[in-house]
């Protein structure tokens, strides 16, 4: 994220695309609401009418899977109506002329994309003018653009809009990929990526690799590792037994619930020789585990978490862990030692300081500074007290590229990989809901939250689709895709368009990942969770279906060792 979350309150325009803050990040949503109260204008681009859409100045109910067409149309208006910041482009960017020529093509005129995007051309023109009208336009995007086979390119297209309008490099402007989990930014910072060491240092760079080799007394591979989503391929379809994956060590992840195409994931997990799961709860993947390491949860250990705006924050232990549980870092030290690499630390600060000594971007972010300054935002390069970190990136529009400039890249639209067909006439997108968290290990057994929503979850459908299928609100329905099927409840709502359906991925019985496609973005290797084709089937015997759901839920909970006290 180039800016800091609180800066949102000083935005003049917020461009929100494929991001549902009120559900996913209620604290960010508060800043958006405060900005609106101060007069900020909001553009919201989401195929479902979200709460942000409801309070938006311009709400654009885009047809799912057409983000790039829309973004190129936004750029088209900015270029052809000459709304761009020539001075900024001249001084701080490269590649604009070529880019402008591409997006100026007639095929990107709002009138030309209207049919495919389902958007009113005038609304697109108004949105482009509003975006370009301010130097305090702040962009927020979420999974609604990234969880597509064209995710990365759409992110770049969003960045182009900011570059072309001079919305980079000063307070209350820039781009905000609002990171998902509380510490997903932290795991990336610490190098839990196949291509980077801690501090965003390239594994292919010899000098960097030698630095880590020297510090750790080991030799490190000079190639990029494997992304998570390639595991099924490397287990089920790798012909060379030497290259096949034989062991899978899973820390804080539940692929048997959260990865796409679960039928394939089950085959994968069953085929691997050794599965180790390190988790704070028994999750669905534990059913395939040969070894389970029980880890401590937040509140039971000292740690540093990074928020989406690059802020390192100290988190302190509040209670003693249950007997038998160890912190994640202690388990990793024991594993490394058992495998012949003695690894020992006395506490997390020692680990942190070693990491700082190897990562220039984080070098100045000591525990002491984090406490004194309520966290430290990276880059923080100097140990001296004067360097308290970086509130927003690219100050003065100096970019982190070799030539210090922002680069324009043009991409044509590529549609989602699986589209509606006569057999599967509806589109399915999978999203989040406010009361439950990702794989639901942490929220599924809380009675208060179960009162908000419980198994088998729901599928949001437009009233016209319900009527055509003879399905009533609350009915149990069967949802079927090319890969599998699941049972869930119909939630009739005119917040979604005809032909489009939405499920949340938190449910164990109503698991939407039985249906989703494992088509990947070739650059980020992220699955296309936001688009596949499905059909919804009416279930005639509702009473029997209710009994089946209950029985399935009881069976899953019993396998997970969850005791349910009926009240
Ligand atoms: N309560 C709760 N909060 C969470 C989570 C949770 O499980 N529960 N999970 C956390 C995690 S891991 C993450 S990554 C974040 C994610 O946070 P968000 O990015 O907000 O997550 P989603 O709900 O998956 O998707 C956002 C929006 O994209 C829209 N969308 C779908 N298709 C398209 C499309 O084609 N174009 C556009 N423009 N929009 C589209 C959806 O309708 C949805 O409103 O949330 C985090 N916060
Ligand atoms: N269909 C569909 N699928 C999706 C998505 C979608 O939008 N649609 N979104 C995707 C996204 S963005 C994400 S991030 C993933 C999330 O999916 P996951 O990462 O699989 O889910 P989480 O619930 O975040 O947590 C995973 C596990 O971490 C454990 N855990 C929590 N704290 C700790 C800890 O301190 N230590 C250890 N060792 N374990 C801990 C939890 O008990 C849980 O079992 O799902 C992805 N899957
Ligand atoms: Mo996420």
């Amino acid at each position: 994220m180039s800016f800091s979350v609180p800066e949102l309150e000083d935005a003049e325009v917020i461009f929100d695309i494929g991001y549902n803050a009120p559900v996913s990040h209620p604290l960010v949503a508060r800043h958006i609401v405060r900005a609106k109260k101060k007069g900020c204008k909001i553009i919201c681009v989401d195929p479902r009418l979200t709460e942000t859409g409801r309070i938006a100045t311009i709400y654009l109910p885009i047809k799912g899977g057409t983000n790039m067409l829309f973004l190129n149309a936004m750029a088209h208006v900015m270029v052809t109506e000459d709304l761009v910041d020539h001075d900024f482009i001249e001084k701080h960017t490269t590649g604009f002329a070529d880019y402008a020529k591409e997006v100026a093509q007639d095929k990107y005129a709002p009138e030309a994309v209207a049919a495919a995007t389902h958007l009113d051309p005038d609304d697109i023109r108004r949105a482009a003018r509003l975006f370009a009208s301010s130097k305090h336009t702040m962009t927020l995007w979420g999974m609604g653009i990234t969880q597509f086979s064209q995710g990365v390119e759409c992110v770049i297209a969003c960045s182009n809009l900011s570059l072309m309008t001079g919305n980079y490099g000063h307070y209350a402007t820039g781009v905000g990929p609002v990171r998902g989990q509380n510490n997903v930014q932290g795991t990336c910072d610490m190098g839990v990526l196949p291509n980077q060491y801690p501090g965003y240092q390239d594994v292919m760079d010899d000098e960097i690799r030698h630095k880590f080799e020297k510090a750790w007394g080991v030799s490190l591979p000079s190639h990029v590792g494997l992304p998570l989503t390639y595991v099924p391929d490397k287990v089920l379809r790798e012909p060379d037994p030497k290259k096949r994956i034989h062991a899978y060590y899973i820390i804080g992840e539940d692929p048997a619930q959260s990865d796409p195409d679960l039928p394939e994931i089950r085959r994968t997990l069953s085929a691997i020789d050794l599965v180790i799961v390190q988790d704070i709860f028994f999750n669905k993947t534990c059913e395939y585990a040969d070894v389970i390491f029980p880890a401590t949860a937040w509140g039971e250990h000292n740690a540093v978490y990074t928020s989406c705006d690059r802020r390192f924050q100290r988190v302190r232990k509040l209670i003693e862990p249950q007997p038998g549980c160890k912190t994640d870092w202690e388990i990793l030290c024991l594993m490394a030692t058992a495998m012949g690499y003695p690894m020992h630390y006395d506490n997390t600060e020692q680990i942190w300081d070693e990491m700082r000594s190897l990562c220039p971007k984080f070098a100045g972010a000591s525990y002491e500074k984090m406490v004194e300054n309520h966290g430290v935002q990276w880059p923080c390069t100097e140990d001296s007290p004067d360097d308290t970190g970086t509130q927003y990136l690219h100050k003065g529009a100096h970019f982190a590229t070799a030539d210090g400039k922002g680069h324009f890249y043009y991409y044509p639209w590529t549609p989602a990989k699986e589209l509606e067909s006569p057999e599967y006439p509806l589109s399915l997108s999978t999203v989040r809901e406010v009361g439950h968290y990702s794989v639901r290990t942490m929220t599924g057994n809380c009675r208060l939250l179960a009162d908000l929503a419980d198994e088998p979850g729901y599928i949001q459908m437009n009233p016209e689709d319900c009527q055509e299928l003879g399905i009533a609100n609350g009915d149990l329905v069967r949802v079927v895709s090319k890969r599998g099927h699941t049972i869930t409840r119909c939630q009739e709502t005119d917040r979604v368009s005809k032909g489009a359906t939405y499920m949340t991925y938190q449910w164990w019985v109503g698991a939407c990942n039985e249906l989703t496609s494992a088509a990947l973005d070739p650059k980020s290797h992220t699955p296309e969770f936001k688009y596949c084709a499905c059909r919804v089937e009416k279930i005639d015997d509702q009473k029997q279906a209710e009994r089946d759901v209950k029985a399935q839920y009881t069976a899953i909970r019993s396998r997970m060792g969850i005791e349910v006290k009926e009240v």
Side-chain angles (χ1 to χ4, degrees), residues 20 24 46 48 65 67 143 432-434 436 438 506 530:
N20 188 5
S24 308
D46 198 302
R48 290 185 309 158
N67 290 319
M143 301 300 113
R432 285 159 174 80
E433 61 190 86
V434 74
H436 286 284
S438 293
Q506 345 294 135
K530 290 290 182 276

Side-chain angles (χ1 to χ4, degrees), residues 143 147 180-181 184 250-260 277-285 293-298 301 305 328 331 429-432 437-442 503-505 512-513 516 526-527 529-530:
M143 301 300 113
Q147 287 177 338
Q181 292 154 307
V184 65
I250 303 165
I251 307 178
E253 185 88 13
D254 189 4
Q257 174 70 19
S258 59
D259 274 0
V277 176
Q278 181 167 318
D279 207 286
I280 62 173
F281 289 112
F282 195 101
N283 63 23
K284 274 191 163 176
T285 308
F293 293 142
T296 54
W298 75 270
H301 52 229
Y305 284 69
D328 284 309
I331 300 171
S429 188
T430 59
V431 296
R432 285 159 174 80
Y437 195 79
S438 293
V439 303
R440 228 160 58 85
T441 50
M442 296 181 279
M503 291 176 76
T504 64
Y505 74 106
C512 67
N513 279 328
T516 47
T526 291
F529 284 125
K530 290 290 182 276

Side-chain angles (χ1 to χ4, degrees), residues 209-352:
R209 193 171 58 255
H210 293 149
K211 176 174 74 173
F212 281 97
E213 287 180 333
K214 206 171 140 212
W216 294 338
V218 292
S219 79
L220 295 165
S222 59
H223 57 264
V224 167
L226 210 61
L228 167 74
T229 40
Y230 285 57
V231 171
D233 243 5
K234 284 285 165 190
V235 173
L236 301 174
R237 288 177 286 273
E238 173 55 59
D240 180 352
K242 284 210 190 83
K243 288 189 185 155
R244 219 172 282 156
I245 291 181
H246 294 282
Y248 197 10
Y249 185 4
I250 303 165
I251 307 178
E253 185 88 13
D254 189 4
Q257 174 70 19
S258 59
D259 274 0
D261 191 356
L262 290 182
E264 182 181 72
I265 296 294
R266 285 191 289 270
R267 288 197 298 280
T268 304
L269 288 167
S270 306
I272 302 175
D273 300 329
L274 172 69
V275 176
I276 305 171
V277 176
Q278 181 167 318
D279 207 286
I280 62 173
F281 289 112
F282 195 101
N283 63 23
K284 274 191 163 176
T285 308
C286 286
E287 289 183 37
Y288 300 86
D290 300 287
V291 181
I292 296 174
F293 293 142
T296 54
W298 75 270
E300 295 177 321
H301 52 229
N302 292 313
V304 177
Y305 284 69
T306 325
S307 57
C308 59
D309 52 5
R310 298 167 280 102
R311 185 182 295 273
F312 296 133
Q313 304 170 91
R314 289 254 356 239
V315 171
R316 283 180 194 72
K317 177 170 162 177
L318 297 169
I319 54 169
E320 284 305 318
Q322 307 254 341
C325 295
K326 290 195 181 338
T327 63
D328 284 309
W329 66 267
E330 282 172 309
I331 300 171
L332 289 169
C333 287
L334 290 169
M335 271 294 282
T337 306
M339 289 169 75
Y341 178 81
M343 189 190 277
H344 175 83
Y345 299 93
D346 292 327
N347 52 49
T348 54
E349 191 169 9
Q350 273 184 6
I351 303 172
W352 188 255

Side-chain angles (χ1 to χ4, degrees), residues 427-477:
S427 67
L428 170 71
S429 188
T430 59
V431 296
R432 285 159 174 80
E433 61 190 86
V434 74
H436 286 284
Y437 195 79
S438 293
V439 303
R440 228 160 58 85
T441 50
M442 296 181 279
T443 52
N445 300 305
C446 170
R447 197 177 304 130
L448 206 69
L449 296 176
D451 283 347
L452 279 178
D454 207 351
E455 292 285 358
Y458 51 87
I459 181 165
Q460 295 184 322
M461 294 174 69
N462 182 274
E464 277 186 52
D465 288 325
C466 295
Q467 207 178 6
E468 267 175 30
L469 291 162
I471 294 165
N473 187 38
D475 279 1
L476 288 171
V477 293

